[in-house]
Structures are given as C-alpha cells and as structure tokens.
Amino acid sequence: MTHKFHSTVLREYDIRGIIGETLGPDDARAIGRSFGSLLTEAGGRKVAVGYDGRVSSPMLEHALIEGLTASGCDVVRIGMGATPMLYYAEASREDVDGGIQITGSHNPANYNGFKMVFQGRPFFGADIQKLGEISANGEWVDGTGNVESHDILQEYVDRMLQGLNGIDPDSLAGLKVGWDAGNGAAGPALELLAARLPGEHHLLYTDVDGNFPNHHPDPTVEANLVDLRALVAEKKLDFGIAFDGDGDRIGAIDGEGRVIWGDQLLMIYAEDVLKDHQGATVIADVKASRALFDHVAKCGGKPLMWKTGHSLIKSKMKETSSPLAGEMSGHVFFADTYYGFDDALYAGVRLIAANARLGKSVTELRGAMPDMLNTPEMRFQVDESRKFAAIDEVSARLADSPADVNATDGVRVTTDDGWWLLRASNTQDVLVARAESDTQEGLERLLAQIDEQLALSGLERGESVGH
C-alpha cells in the first residue's frame, strides 16, 4: 500500500486542506502510518491525539488513530480541545513521545488539518515532507498499538492558574475581563478557567460550533473583535481577550476598545518577564514593530528578530534559552515558568498577571506605547513559482544599498523613515508586505520603495487577499 497526498496539503508548519476536496480520512490514515513509523524507528511509542471543534474532526481522528496503531503506536486520546491542550498532554506526561492535533486553526469551516510534536520538538518543514515520501513509498512499520482515553481538561486548567502564582487574589478582585472564544475549541476550557479566576468575567461564544455562526475565529482581524469591543464598552470592562479557532493565538483590546496587536502584547509581557530575567533573549518575528524591539532593550532584554512561523520560533527559543517569544499573528510562547509552546488561554492568564505585577492597567500600558503609523499585513497573490524568486531578486538588488537590510525572513529594510518588509508566505501563494513610520509622509515613501522593488520584478501590490 502507498498513499499520495494532494500537492497543496503538506505545508511548512502543518498539514492543511479542504475536506472532501484535498483532505480526507485516507490522508489522515496515511499521516498516522507515516508519523507512527518515524516515531517507532526513533524509539518512541506513545502519541497523544486531540481534535478541534470542526464538523470533520471526529472522522479524521478515527482514521488517524487507525494509522498510528497499525504502525505499532499506542494512542492517548484526549478528545476535543484546544491545540495547547494537546501540547500540554505531550509536554507534561513523561510516557508520551509525540502529539498530533487535528485542527483547521483559523481557516474557514470546510478546512481541517494537523499540527504535530515529535519527541518534544516541533515537527515541521522537512519533517512534514518526509511524511509525504514515506507514504508515497509505503515504507510503513507494521505493528499493533493500544488506545486509551485521558481527560486532561481539569488538570490543564489547574496548570493555567499557576500563571497567577505569587499574586494576591484580593488584588485582582476588582478586575473585569471579557473573553470571546469565537465558538472555537477553547470554549470548554475557558468556561472552567473563568469560573476559577479572581475578578469578574464575561464570556462570549464558548459553545463549540464548527460552523462558527457568530464570527470567524481569527482575532488578528479587527472585524472579528466587534462583539468583544461592544461587550467591553457595555459592561465597562478593563480589557477583552479573544481566541482563534484552536486556541493557540490570542487577540486583545483594552478598556477603551483599542486593539492590542501581537507585538504590543509582547511589549507588555516582556516588561513583566524581564523583571526576573534580565539580559534574556526575547524573540519576535520580522513583522513586529520597531517599538517592540526598542522596548525589550529598554527593559534589559536582548531583542532578537526571527522568521515568522510558530515552529521556527519554538526551535529558536530552545536554541537561545529564551523565556518569551511572540508573533504578530498572536502566537505567544512563555518558557519562563511554562513549556514554551503557544497557548492563548495561558497568555490570557499572563495578561492578568502582568497587569497585577506591573501595577498598571492594560489600558494604561497600551496608552503608554508610541503611536507608530503602520500598515496592516498586506498580502497579495503571486504565483507559487515566482514568490521566493522575487524575494531573491529584491535581496540581490539591495545588496549594496546604504539602508540597513535584514534578510532573516524575506527582506526587511530600515531607513530614516522607518522600515518596510517583503516576504514570501510559507503557507500560501502570496507575498506579504508591511511598513511602519513615525510620519504619514515617511510611510508613503516606504510604500513607494516596496512598489518600486515589486515593479522591478514585474509585480505589483494589487488587492490584498485574506489568510
């Protein structure tokens, strides 16, 4: 037996496709066979499996487990829950050697996919391509594995609450927070967590519904924060927190309804974490504001700009022993007193903790941030065969530029006006552009430089496309 995947599903950071078109149970079974074969050959045996609230997830879970057990792996079923719950099961149980979460993350309801952990490290890039090769060649190990179920929800929520260790609960008694689970998989854990947090908590859309009837669960899109903003205003709350579909990305607004973007959240977290970790490295992706990198340095940390992608950032954290990292997209990673994986529920708890330890409200912290003029993330369609080549061309043309050119991930160019970025998406056939300046005129000059470079490669910015 062999299996060939659709050409679009094996991505850089995960496996993702459209149910019934590019992804189905046969793919899930082959993923189980190939992942299980790799793990048993590496001396591993037990895999934790979880799934999100999508309609197609139980079907994929069934097929995935068939594949894993047929390759000799034992499976710990943790059932439906947020992706970080699966990461927690993998990190906290010594007998578990790998983990697979079935999730479509923030994609539309007809998508689904898989995020994986292998012996404590992220499984991505060449690892995922290897699954494709093993499947295509049918190089599967045969065996018979057992399946057990493990309800870790309560244990996971207990662990979340440790994020408030050392803080007097009475000091948080007056806190009022709004939460929007967006009908995603984090809902049940959020209900349990909010019931045990000090203060007053107002919850939206905690019932899991894979059709996402209220709004799309992507907290980095401002339109998806409308209901949370209304709740914060109506109830006069201190701030609001939103999650994506599988609970590994956080979005937030302050008490005045201002969005706190991913890099701005990281400024708050860095100020808190660096009090006890002077000189530590704090990592952010190349899309983050200069204000963040400046703030990390001011708080006594070493700012490190790194490639976009949760798997790439997790790997870099291990390499640099970084206690904190984050992305514009709302993935936040704490490794100071946590496991170093992206967990939006835990990040929500840590925002409450930072608010208490820094002695400033989230609204004050947001208000103290410099007002940078920056574009949203502009994404525009470029043929798959052209996207990386175009970035190489831009990079080559700027080799002798007097500006500061950073080629960590695409091209980030810093001038007196500010900075601009052009990079190829690892997950779609798009180029991503962003620019930031202190002035409107500066921003326009930076955008003109982006357009000039694109034109020289026969491209134009055009209409921005979604995720």
Side-chain angles (χ1 to χ4, degrees):
M1 287 284 288
T2 61
H3 180 82
K4 195 161 169 44
F5 293 98
H6 190 276
S7 61
T8 58
V9 303
L10 301 179
R11 312 271 186 128
E12 175 68 13
Y13 316 126
D14 55 21
I15 294 171
R16 203 185 306 158
I18 301 169
I19 294 299
E21 290 182 32
T22 61
L23 191 68
D26 290 344
D27 300 293
R29 203 170 288 108
I31 288 162
R33 290 290 266 141
S34 299
F35 186 91
S37 298
L38 274 179
L39 191 65
T40 51
E41 284 173 351
R45 171 85 189 187
K46 194 168 277 190
V47 182
V49 172
Y51 61 91
D52 73 7
R54 286 164 190 267
V55 179
S56 58
S57 291
M59 164 190 78
L60 294 180
E61 185 222 27
H62 182 80
L64 176 72
I65 290 173
E66 277 185 357
L68 286 166
T69 52
S71 290
C73 283
D74 293 333
V75 172
V76 182
R77 293 184 65 208
I78 65 160
M80 193 197 68
T83 295
M85 222 162 93
L86 180 276
Y87 292 156
Y88 171 76
E90 195 276 337
S92 62
R93 279 187 54 157
E94 284 184 9
D95 63 332
V96 172
D97 308 303
I100 302 178
Q101 174 79 357
I102 295 158
T103 175
S105 188
H106 61 278
N107 285 280
N110 57 332
Y111 278 73
N112 216 325
F114 304 83
K115 291 180 179 175
M116 292 160 283
V117 188
F118 190 92
Q119 295 185 322
R121 66 171 180 81
F123 187 90
F124 68 102
D127 300 321
I128 289 174
Q129 296 308 315
K130 182 86 177 144
L131 291 187
E133 289 165 25
I134 292 170
S135 298
N137 297 326
E139 294 169 340
W140 292 321
V141 173
D142 293 319
T144 311
N146 300 311
V147 182
E148 62 175 290
S149 292
H150 179 47
D151 183 0
I152 64 157
L153 185 57
Q154 200 65 56
E155 185 189 322
Y156 170 66
V157 171
D158 289 346
R159 185 65 184 83
M160 297 285 100
L161 289 160
Q162 289 180 31
L164 296 178
N165 280 359
I167 295 168
D168 178 6
D170 293 343
S171 70
L172 296 170
L175 193 67
K176 298 198 290 187
V177 185
W179 304 77
D180 183 348
N183 301 109
L190 174 59
E191 287 180 355
L192 278 180
L193 176 66
R196 293 179 58 192
L197 285 168
E200 187 184 307
H201 299 273
H202 299 266
L203 313 186
L204 292 175
Y205 315 138
T206 55
D207 53 314
V208 180
D209 185 334
N211 295 308
F212 308 122
N214 293 291
H215 62 75
H216 190 59
D218 182 351
T220 60
V221 176
E222 204 163 341
N224 297 329
L225 300 173
V226 168
D227 295 350
L228 182 62
R229 190 177 266 145
L231 177 72
V232 167
E234 182 202 336
K235 306 276 188 192
K236 297 188 169 48
L237 307 181
D238 293 300
F239 56 92
I241 290 169
F243 303 134
D244 72 340
D246 68 329
D248 62 3
R249 296 194 303 133
I250 186 173
I253 56 170
D254 74 358
E256 294 177 10
R258 292 176 293 195
V259 177
I260 311 172
W261 299 107
D263 50 1
Q264 294 174 321
L265 275 170
L266 207 56
M267 286 169 77
I268 296 173
Y269 294 135
E271 193 171 326
D272 181 30
V273 168
L274 288 167
K275 283 168 75 170
D276 291 332
H277 294 84
Q278 282 291 294
T281 299
V282 174
I283 303 171
D285 70 333
V286 292
K287 292 185 278 190
S289 169
R290 188 189 78 216
L292 164 65
F293 297 106
D294 291 349
H295 192 66
V296 167
K298 193 178 107 188
C299 293
K302 286 191 202 125
L304 176 64
M305 193 185 292
W306 196 239
K307 299 172 184 178
T308 292
H310 64 96
S311 305
L312 302 169
I313 288 203
K314 282 179 213 170
S315 299
K316 196 67 178 172
M317 280 183 90
K318 286 196 165 161
E319 187 190 311
T320 57
S321 304
S322 165
L324 174 69
E327 292 186 84
M328 276 304 294
S329 57
H331 289 280
V332 182
F333 315 81
F334 289 94
D336 57 343
T337 55
Y338 202 54
Y339 302 96
F341 58 72
D342 35 343
D343 186 334
L345 287 137
Y346 183 72
V349 173
R350 289 295 294 261
L351 191 57
I352 293 171
N355 164 83
R357 280 194 288 258
L358 297 173
K360 297 175 199 162
S361 72
V362 168
T363 304
E364 283 175 299
L365 289 162
R366 171 68 181 81
M369 292 174 190
D371 278 328
M372 312 295 272
L373 290 168
N374 43 40
T375 66
E377 206 177 301
M378 300 174 287
R379 308 165 73 84
F380 41 96
Q381 215 90 34
V382 173
D383 190 75
E384 192 71 36
S385 61
R386 271 296 285 142
K387 66 178 189 184
F388 288 111
I391 296 296
D392 289 342
E393 290 160 19
V394 173
S395 193
R397 282 195 295 269
L398 293 172
D400 302 323
S401 162
D404 172 17
V405 180
N406 182 314
T408 299
D409 180 6
V411 181
R412 178 165 162 153
V413 178
T414 303
T415 73
D416 293 341
D417 284 323
W419 60 270
W420 60 265
L421 170 76
L422 207 50
R423 64 178 287 275
S425 166
N426 280 310
T427 53
Q428 289 175 288
D429 53 347
V430 298
L431 286 184
V432 178
R434 192 164 191 245
E436 176 181 80
S437 181
D438 297 325
T439 67
Q440 190 57 46
E441 301 75 37
L443 194 61
E444 280 160 17
R445 282 193 290 271
L446 294 169
L447 288 170
Q449 288 181 37
I450 294 175
D451 290 338
E452 178 194 4
Q453 287 301 329
L454 288 171
L456 288 168
S457 284
L459 301 169
E460 58 181 338
R461 234 180 330 138
E463 286 296 303
S464 196
V465 296
H467 292 265

